[in-house]
């Protein structure tokens, strides 16, 4: 039987994004239900969250990288289509696979942590809805959160392009996934306070759709805040790719960098 390359690529995007969300949302669930920020019985803190997401990215890139390039993020997919010649015919299938993987991962985290979530928040309010998706912090305006997402995703995409360019002193061997994971850790440590550093529309919208269907409150659909981690990262990804494409790529040894 002849294999479909697109099917394999979408399978990789689905599973890679699922792994990413299982690590990332899973660590947030552990921290939130384990007592943080209480000093009694806590099973983690903000550093745990930043490192959990970063390690999740690393493992996800190893899972998907060979088949699909491990986009794992609509902002990356769109930026590569605009600036690197990625086929527009693959953009929507990739994004659909990313969304599906994120949705299924959120379902698995909710299923596994159901007892703990019911214990700490039986009303399924924002206290535990925030395990699955992001929102502006208290006192942070929508414009500030929007800017935050643009900047964070611009950093992500610009550095990914630098790390994966064959002529830009990239990481040796197959260590690029590790450095991409460390990049996400750094973004989490430096850009997580305003809006939760979604920097990935699928990472946010897939789980948000799940918890909306699961009956959680304050999902962000009613007040429109759900749009921030969708439009902000898409624009930020294009900005980061543009900066790399105009300020770095033309000066590298090969025009195809």
């Amino acid at each position: 039987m002849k294999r479909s390359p697109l099917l394999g690529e979408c399978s990789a995007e689905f599973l890679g994004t699922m792994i990413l969300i299982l690590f990332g949302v899973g660590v947030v669930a552990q921290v939130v239900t384990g007592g943080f920020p209480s000093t009694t019985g806590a099973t983690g803190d903000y550093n745990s969250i930043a490192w959990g997401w970063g390690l999740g990215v690393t493992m996800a890139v190893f899972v998907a990288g060979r088949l699909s390039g491990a986009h794992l993020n609509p902002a990356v997919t769109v930026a590569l289509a605009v600036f690197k010649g990625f086929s527009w015919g693959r953009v929507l299938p990739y994004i659909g696979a990313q969304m599906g993987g994120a949705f299924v991962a959120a379902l698995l985290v909710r299923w596994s942590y159901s007892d703990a979530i019911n214990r700490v928040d039986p009303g399924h309010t924002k206290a535990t809805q925030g395990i699955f998706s992001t929102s502006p912090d208290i006192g942070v305006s929508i414009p500030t959160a929007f800017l935050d997402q643009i900047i964070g995703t611009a950093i992500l995409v610009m550095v990914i392009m630098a790390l994966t360019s064959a002529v830009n002193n990239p990481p040796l061997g197959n260590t690029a996934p590790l450095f991409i994971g460390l990049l996400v850790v750094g973004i989490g440590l430096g850009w997580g306070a305003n809006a939760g550093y979604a920097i990935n529309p699928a990472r946010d919208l897939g789980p948000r759709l799940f918890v909306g269907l699961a009956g959680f409150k304050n999902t962000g659909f009613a007040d429109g805040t759900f749009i921030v981690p969708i439009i902000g990262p898409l624009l930020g990804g294009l900005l980061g790719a543009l900066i790399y494409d105009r300020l770095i790529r033309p000066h590298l040894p090969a025009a195809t960098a």
Side-chain angles (χ1 to χ4, degrees):
M1 183 177 67
K2 186 178 180 180
R3 296 179 181 178
S4 166
L6 180 58
L7 178 60
E9 292 165 19
C10 288
S11 295
E13 286 295 301
F14 178 91
L15 289 173
T17 308
M18 187 176 75
I19 290 296
L20 165 62
I21 302 304
L22 285 173
F23 273 85
V25 172
V27 73
V28 178
Q30 178 169 287
V31 169
V32 169
T33 62
F36 178 75
S38 169
T39 57
T40 303
T43 53
D45 55 18
Y46 186 80
N47 288 324
S48 304
I49 293 172
W51 281 99
W53 277 107
L55 290 171
V57 168
T58 295
M59 302 308 158
V61 174
F62 275 120
V63 167
R66 183 65 180 268
L67 282 177
S68 70
H71 296 190
L72 313 174
N73 183 339
V76 173
T77 300
V78 171
L80 291 178
V82 172
F83 290 98
K84 299 289 284 185
F86 181 72
S87 170
W88 281 102
R90 281 169 153 71
V91 168
L92 288 181
Y94 267 50
I95 291 175
Q98 294 156 3
M99 288 285 296
F103 185 95
V104 171
L107 183 154
L108 292 173
V109 172
R110 172 68 177 90
W111 188 12
S112 181
Y113 276 91
S114 59
D115 292 344
I117 289 173
N118 291 336
R119 183 186 72 243
V120 302
D121 183 30
H124 297 169
T125 67
K126 188 174 182 179
T128 52
Q129 185 276 325
I131 290 171
F132 299 91
S133 60
T134 65
S135 62
D137 200 4
I138 297 172
V140 176
S141 68
I142 296 298
T144 297
F146 191 71
L147 177 63
D148 173 271
Q149 288 299 289
I150 291 175
I151 295 172
T153 315
I155 295 169
L156 176 72
V157 172
M158 181 176 62
V159 178
I160 285 176
M161 286 192 165
L163 287 171
T164 56
S165 170
V167 294
N168 190 37
N169 195 28
L172 296 176
N174 60 349
T175 60
L178 174 61
F179 286 96
I180 293 172
L182 289 173
L183 166 63
V184 172
V185 173
I187 293 172
L189 293 175
W191 292 90
N194 281 332
Y197 75 106
I199 57 174
N200 181 340
R203 168 266 175 273
D204 195 87
L205 184 57
R208 192 186 299 272
L209 287 170
F210 167 74
V211 293
L213 293 173
F216 281 71
K217 301 177 179 65
N218 306 108
T219 57
F221 291 115
D223 61 10
T225 54
F226 78 97
I227 204 71
V228 172
I230 297 176
I231 303 300
L234 289 172
L235 293 178
L238 291 172
L239 176 61
L242 177 66
I243 292 171
Y244 181 84
D245 193 65
R246 296 294 184 266
L247 299 183
I248 299 296
R249 188 190 64 80
H251 306 287
L252 293 172
T256 57

